[in-house]
Amino acid sequence: MIDVRRFDRADQVIAAAADAICALLAEKPEAAIGLATGRTQQPLYAELLRRHRAGEVSFRRARCFHLDEYWRLPETSPQSMSHQLQAQFVASTDLSAGRFDRVNGMAADPALEAARYEAAIRRAGGIDLQLLGLGTNGHIGFNEPGSPHASRMRLVRLTAETRAQNRDFFPPGATVPPEALTMGIATILEARSILVLVTGASKAAALQAAVEGPINAASPASALQRHGNCTLLCDAKAAQSLKGN
Ligand code: GLP
């Protein structure tokens, strides 16, 4: 079952997510955190940096991983997922050098890179807290509808909907990559805790299906119902289609 916590506004969702991350780091400074990209997470990184500058939280001993990366986009490209996370968050923290492990979207072999990344997560002792957003089609990471819930990290083909959703991150005329490396659903479910952030009316149907719908491949996020420690923070707009309380 997913522990759904509703807030009136998106800024309250962000504050609650920042509270959860700061509480984890206070208890376990060396925690491994799985970062996620997307518009929903951007204000969370801004809030964490604000708290960091105020001396309220240190990332020095933490480790960071991330969910997904476009395939064949160099990490120097501003649209690369790891570049965005580095620029928006990691570079402005006190995270020790080398403790943000980036997925290499330019690796020679996607299967080898996926295996390397999963091994790095295992060597770090697993992920303590995995951040997630939700696609309008119910995707988590880049696990599109139809992805097996037993999937591991792998190369996937993106749907037209997902590429359109991410179009604005790219300059006019540039192609949104058709493929990405993503942690699989089973990889995500191995995290000891999962924190899903969902805001805005465009996510209402996907949120309802994830939380109250059947657990099936049509809704990748419905797999989260099987996790024992998954909290979903949402605003009133995203929660508007939920039937139960
Ligand atoms: C993207 C990412 C996801 C993200 C989701 C929602 O395609 N792969 O990790 O959570 O879509 O993005 P947004 O927060 O911009 O709505």
Side-chain angles (χ1 to χ4, degrees):
M1 198 177 113
I2 302 174
D3 178 10
V4 179
R5 302 196 193 159
R6 302 187 197 196
F7 298 85
D8 290 337
R9 302 185 317 270
D11 62 301
Q12 296 168 315
V13 169
I14 297 304
D19 287 348
I21 292 170
C22 292
L24 170 68
L25 288 169
E27 189 190 310
K28 186 175 180 183
E30 70 282 12
I33 300 172
L35 303 175
T37 50
R39 297 169 192 83
T40 315
Q41 318 288 330
Q42 285 173 0
L44 170 62
Y45 299 130
E47 173 61 11
L48 286 172
L49 288 180
R50 189 193 66 72
R51 294 185 189 202
H52 173 57
R53 289 191 193 104
E56 294 170 24
V57 61
S58 169
F59 300 90
R60 194 173 57 81
R61 294 173 57 199
R63 292 189 70 102
C64 289
F65 291 92
H66 67 119
L67 267 179
D68 46 23
E69 183 57 280
Y70 290 114
W71 183 240
R72 290 276 162 260
L73 202 59
E75 67 176 30
T76 48
S77 161
Q79 288 78 34
S80 127
M81 300 301 202
S82 71
H83 183 98
Q84 292 181 43
L85 291 166
Q86 180 73 21
Q88 286 165 20
F89 179 58
V90 175
S92 303
T93 68
D94 57 348
L95 189 82
S96 304
R99 293 177 76 83
F100 174 36
D101 198 321
R102 299 168 73 156
V103 178
N104 181 7
M106 296 295 285
D109 181 324
L112 286 180
E113 174 60 5
R116 179 201 70 79
Y117 204 71
E118 290 221 351
I121 293 171
R122 276 196 298 277
R123 264 200 314 279
I127 289 179
D128 292 290
L129 184 149
Q130 178 64 53
L131 282 167
L132 287 182
L134 182 66
T136 49
N137 63 4
H139 75 219
I140 49 174
F142 271 136
N143 294 284
E144 301 282 30
S147 299
H149 287 188
S151 54
R152 307 296 315 183
M153 191 153 193
R154 69 206 184 286
L155 187 68
V156 293
R157 185 149 276 278
L158 303 178
T159 60
E161 181 177 349
T162 295
R163 291 176 78 200
Q165 190 186 309
N166 288 311
R167 165 81 263 163
D168 291 350
F169 288 103
F170 290 80
T175 305
V176 180
E179 294 174 304
L181 274 174
T182 183
M183 282 189 197
I185 296 176
T187 322
I188 291 169
L189 291 178
E190 281 170 4
R192 282 184 278 283
S193 67
I194 297 177
L195 191 60
V196 196
L197 275 58
V198 192
T199 58
S202 68
K203 306 287 175 69
L207 173 55
Q208 194 278 330
V211 172
E212 297 178 337
I215 301 176
N216 62 27
S219 167
S222 68
L224 300 171
Q225 294 178 33
R226 290 210 173 95
H227 196 275
N229 189 5
C230 177
T231 304
L232 185 148
L233 309 175
C234 59
D235 67 0
K237 288 179 183 160
Q240 64 187 297
S241 300
L242 288 176
K243 296 177 177 69
N245 280 308

